Amino acid sequence: MNNKKSFPLWAMLISLVLIAGVLFVVGPIISAEKQKEKKSEMQTYVEKMQPGWNLGNTFDATGDETSWGNPLTTKELIAEIAEQGYNSIRIPITWEHRMGDAPDYTVDPDFMRRIEEVVDWSLDEGLYVMINIHHDSSEWVRYMDTNHDEVLERFNALWTQIADHFKDHPSKLMFESINEPRFSEDWNKDEPGYFTMLGELNDSFHHIVRTSGGKNGKRPLVIPSITASASKARLEELYKTITSYNDPNLIATIHYYGFYPFSVNMAGATKFDEAAQKDIMDTFDRTYERFTKEGIPVIVGEFGLLGFDKFLGTIQHGEKLKYFDFVNDYAGQKGFTTMLWDNGQHFNRREFNWFDEDLYAVIKAGFKGRSSHAMSDLVYLKKGENVQDVSIPLEPNGNEFQNVNMNGKNLMKDRDYTIHENILTLKANFLGQWSDTAYGKQAELNINFTSGADWKLNIITYDVPELSEASGSSDELIIPVQFNGDELATMESLYEDGRNAGPADWTSFKEFGHSFVPSYETNEIKLTKAFFDEIKDGQVTLKFHFWSGEILEYIIEKDGTRVTTIKSS
């Protein structure tokens, strides 16, 4: 007797259908997962470029190589950049004054050889290298609307020569079609004609390079949006352009200089707050969804803060460090490579060191992970007041608190400080040693975590700043100040009726370095010509906000070109 259980035919058919359904469903899921795990060659290429650095204000200068303040680029400098941990270098190049007239627009052969020399030094150091057409975008390309044929001919002649000269260089050299292309003075205006003209330029660039022989048939090419902006409209147009070529060796590029109010310190955006963080996330998310997710890699060809164009103190030091940490981390999550814009203000090209070692420490730590920080890097102790415990929230960013030290010696937990649920409290008996000292920075505490750069806390003794009366002209007003250890965060400006006064009158808070400039060396605050150019005659109330929390009121009166103090506090 056969004891094997038999199934009815209908049951067997249902089983087969179910099995087939499972195979049908599971098959695509497995395939999709494998596809997700497999990066394109260009995505791998771009990720190997991280981190990147710009040789700014050098060959992009509209004079000679040193006309914008930097020394001649040397082989030693390039070696130092590689030594600092950088894997790629962008070499911005302005060609206009290095090329002849129509019809050939011949590039000065000595200049072409000089570019090749620096490119070769970079390749010898193992760096990925990007060269481009840089300030030509604003010098002559932006007039394409009214000078179409000449601009296109000149652009084509230039890329024909560049492509031919470098066609046998290895694929670690990439070409970027043009830097921040635009076609008017308005950086934010979108016109269909602008997209059409940029499309023509990029079409020419792609065709010229791809048909120029050598290794250019597969050389990585970098394509920007208008002004290298990540606005939705400009990303969409760039996506259309790149996908139209059906070319796997293309890279999209954008630039990022932060949430505008924070980036220039205006509108009261003195801190790297939720709005500044959201701007980064929104920008990078939008770019990721349009490009990286669709298989097109992204390079953030320039990043930094716009306020650096005036001076590095525009953005408060600790807030600046938080910004750089966040940008590099979030870009890394999206698979982007970021290239630091350095026009000479970050890496000292003469002494081969960093002007701001704390900034470099955060950037370097960001190559592998995140740094931790505190709510602030400033602890103010008001002279003559009883010292209290000071509690400071910490943001570990995935790291763990270890200790606090000063002058290389660890502070005593529970005696000098306590730590509870990421709140660091400095004890009054510890801080009291500076209660009656001279004004200014008294000590620097290092908060150490298990990974990343240390966070430094500055202990500062201060008193309420003192503003003195002044008189001057609308060209400039110098206000004498006794800062008494404090530092200026921002300034408000209002007319008598409460309306916002001065530039950007949509906000009462004026732009740091544009409308006002503090000088701690000469004990003064300068109100600039740019500020007075947009001030009407009459009284204006200024409110100076200091990092200690103090707010001082200062009233001036403008009468034509004459400016005088009405009241100071």
Side-chain angles (χ1 to χ4, degrees):
M1 180 179 177
N2 187 351
N3 293 322
K4 186 180 290 185
K5 191 172 183 179
S6 61
F7 287 91
L9 181 60
W10 61 267
M12 293 179 66
L13 291 172
I14 289 174
S15 299
L16 289 172
V17 170
L18 289 173
I19 291 170
V22 169
L23 289 174
F24 178 79
V25 172
V26 171
I29 291 175
I30 294 172
S31 176
E33 287 300 316
K34 286 183 178 179
Q35 184 68 28
K36 186 177 179 181
E37 291 172 4
K38 185 180 179 182
K39 295 177 182 176
S40 69
E41 288 185 16
M42 274 297 94
Q43 181 63 40
T44 300
Y45 178 100
V46 165
E47 290 181 11
K48 286 181 178 179
M49 291 173 60
Q50 177 70 355
W53 182 84
N54 274 271
L55 182 68
N57 283 24
T58 301
F59 296 113
D60 51 323
T62 51
D64 63 30
E65 183 178 343
T66 64
S67 63
W68 286 2
N70 285 309
L72 285 171
T73 301
T74 62
K75 183 176 177 64
E76 290 73 24
L77 170 64
I78 302 301
E80 281 293 330
I81 292 303
E83 182 67 23
Q84 298 300 312
Y86 285 93
N87 290 321
S88 58
I89 183 170
R90 182 171 179 257
I91 304 175
I93 308 164
T94 300
W95 301 85
E96 180 187 28
H97 54 291
R98 283 113 173 191
M99 57 193 302
D101 298 329
D104 297 326
Y105 299 107
T106 303
V107 173
D108 180 349
D110 289 338
F111 181 71
M112 187 73 87
R113 283 191 290 269
R114 174 60 174 153
I115 296 299
E116 183 178 22
E117 181 177 48
V118 177
V119 167
D120 288 346
W121 289 341
S122 302
L123 292 170
D124 288 345
E125 291 297 331
L127 297 171
Y128 290 79
V129 185
M130 185 192 304
I131 60 175
N132 72 356
I133 293 178
H134 204 77
H135 290 304
D136 303 87
S137 59
S138 58
E139 294 294 318
W140 52 274
V141 173
R142 75 181 177 94
Y143 300 108
M144 188 172 179
D145 189 29
T146 56
N147 200 17
H148 177 276
D149 292 349
E150 182 179 332
V151 166
L152 190 58
E153 288 169 7
R154 195 176 191 183
F155 181 87
N156 292 348
L158 186 48
W159 269 116
T160 297
Q161 294 172 79
I162 299 168
D164 182 67
H165 192 89
F166 289 99
K167 66 184 179 183
D168 295 321
H169 275 63
S171 63
K172 274 194 168 183
L173 172 66
M174 70 206 81
F175 300 154
E176 177 187 27
S177 64
I178 187 168
N179 172 72
E180 297 181 351
R182 60 190 174 97
F183 302 98
S184 75
E185 289 286 355
D186 190 337
W187 284 70
N188 299 310
K189 188 176 182 180
D190 288 332
E191 290 282 354
Y194 297 169
F195 296 126
T196 299
M197 287 184 284
L198 180 56
E200 284 187 84
L201 295 175
N202 281 326
D203 287 350
S204 283
F205 165 72
H206 182 263
H207 175 75
I208 288 167
V209 175
R210 286 290 179 254
T211 59
S212 57
K215 298 179 181 178
N216 286 344
K218 294 185 177 180
R219 185 176 306 284
L221 302 181
V222 183
I223 314 290
S225 61
I226 288 180
T227 69
S229 163
S231 71
K232 186 176 187 300
R234 297 181 185 190
L235 293 181
E236 290 296 332
E237 291 295 330
L238 178 58
Y239 178 78
K240 291 176 188 176
T241 296
I242 289 178
T243 54
S244 72
Y245 300 138
N246 194 26
D247 183 338
N249 297 312
L250 301 181
I251 301 165
T253 188
I254 61 168
H255 294 174
Y256 188 74
Y257 284 97
F259 179 52
Y260 184 76
F262 172 74
S263 185
V264 299
N265 190 350
M266 71 180 300
T270 58
K271 295 187 177 183
F272 183 60
D273 59 11
E274 289 184 6
Q277 294 175 32
K278 185 177 185 299
D279 190 78
I280 294 169
M281 292 188 290
D282 288 349
T283 301
F284 288 179
D285 286 351
R286 190 165 57 244
T287 305
Y288 172 84
E289 290 293 324
R290 184 69 284 176
F291 292 101
T292 313
K293 190 176 179 180
E294 299 297 323
I296 302 168
V298 173
I299 294 173
V300 184
E302 295 179 14
F303 87 100
L305 287 164
L306 292 175
F308 285 170
D309 288 344
K310 297 177 178 66
F311 58 97
L312 296 182
T314 298
I315 314 299
Q316 197 275 330
H317 187 253
E319 304 306 316
K320 169 178 65 181
L321 300 183
K322 296 176 195 177
Y323 166 82
F324 275 89
D325 173 71
F326 195 98
V327 167
N328 273 323
D329 177 69
Y330 206 74
Q333 291 182 38
K334 300 300 176 184
F336 303 167
T337 277
T338 54
M339 307 192 81
L340 176 69
W341 178 254
D342 189 350
N343 61 19
Q345 80 271 64
H346 294 310
F347 188 70
N348 186 334
R349 302 183 193 178
R350 293 177 172 84
E351 303 296 329
F352 295 163
N353 54 30
W354 292 86
F355 289 112
D356 187 338
E357 290 290 349
D358 294 338
L359 175 59
Y360 175 62
V362 167
I363 291 175
K364 184 177 181 181
F367 298 167
K368 297 182 179 179
R370 288 201 68 179
S371 291
S372 308
H373 55 76
M375 182 178 68
S376 176
D377 63 345
L378 304 171
V379 175
Y380 278 98
L381 306 175
K382 192 169 185 179
K383 198 165 184 176
E385 290 190 352
N386 291 331
V387 178
Q388 306 291 323
D389 290 355
V390 175
S391 294
I392 306 157
L394 304 180
E395 181 53 66
N397 292 329
N399 305 318
E400 294 182 8
F401 171 86
Q402 286 191 312
N403 56 57
V404 184
N405 69 62
M406 181 176 69
N407 299 326
K409 294 182 179 180
N410 288 344
L411 303 188
M412 293 292 293
K413 188 178 178 182
D414 297 328
R415 186 194 70 181
D416 301 326
Y417 72 92
T418 61
I419 183 78
H420 179 67
E421 294 184 349
N422 293 323
I423 302 292
L424 173 68
T425 299
L426 299 176
K427 305 297 288 183
N429 63 335
F430 169 71
L431 295 172
Q433 62 187 297
W434 298 297
S435 63
D436 196 28
T437 54
Y439 297 133
K441 181 177 174 179
Q442 306 301 323
E444 183 177 89
L445 309 184
N446 286 346
I447 307 177
N448 299 309
F449 297 85
T450 50
S451 187
D454 296 344
W455 183 261
K456 296 180 179 179
L457 276 178
N458 299 291
I459 310 298
I460 301 166
T461 301
Y462 87 103
D463 208 339
V464 180
E466 302 170 49
L467 307 176
S468 299
E469 294 183 358
S471 61
S473 75
S474 56
D475 285 337
E476 182 179 85
L477 180 69
I478 302 295
I479 303 173
V481 184
Q482 292 300 317
F483 287 101
N484 295 335
D486 213 340
E487 292 193 354
L488 187 61
T490 187
M491 181 189 81
E492 286 187 273
S493 175
L494 302 109
Y495 292 116
E496 285 185 278
D497 60 6
R499 289 179 300 119
N500 300 330
D505 61 6
W506 54 270
T507 175
S508 63
F509 289 92
K510 303 297 100 174
E511 182 179 341
F512 197 110
H514 177 75
S515 291
F516 65 98
V517 183
S519 172
Y520 304 107
E521 293 76 22
T522 57
N523 293 309
E524 63 187 33
I525 298 173
K526 179 174 71 174
L527 302 183
T528 67
K529 183 178 186 300
F531 173 70
F532 286 115
D533 281 349
E534 299 190 46
I535 290 288
K536 298 176 182 178
D537 283 359
Q539 289 189 12
V540 176
T541 297
L542 307 176
K543 294 181 180 179
F544 292 103
H545 295 248
F546 292 84
W547 280 105
S548 67
E550 302 286 351
I551 303 174
L552 300 184
E553 191 172 281
Y554 193 88
I555 302 176
I556 60 174
E557 183 172 57
K558 179 175 180 285
D559 182 8
T561 61
R562 187 168 179 268
V563 182
T564 56
T565 302
I566 299 299
K567 177 186 175 184
S568 62
S569 63

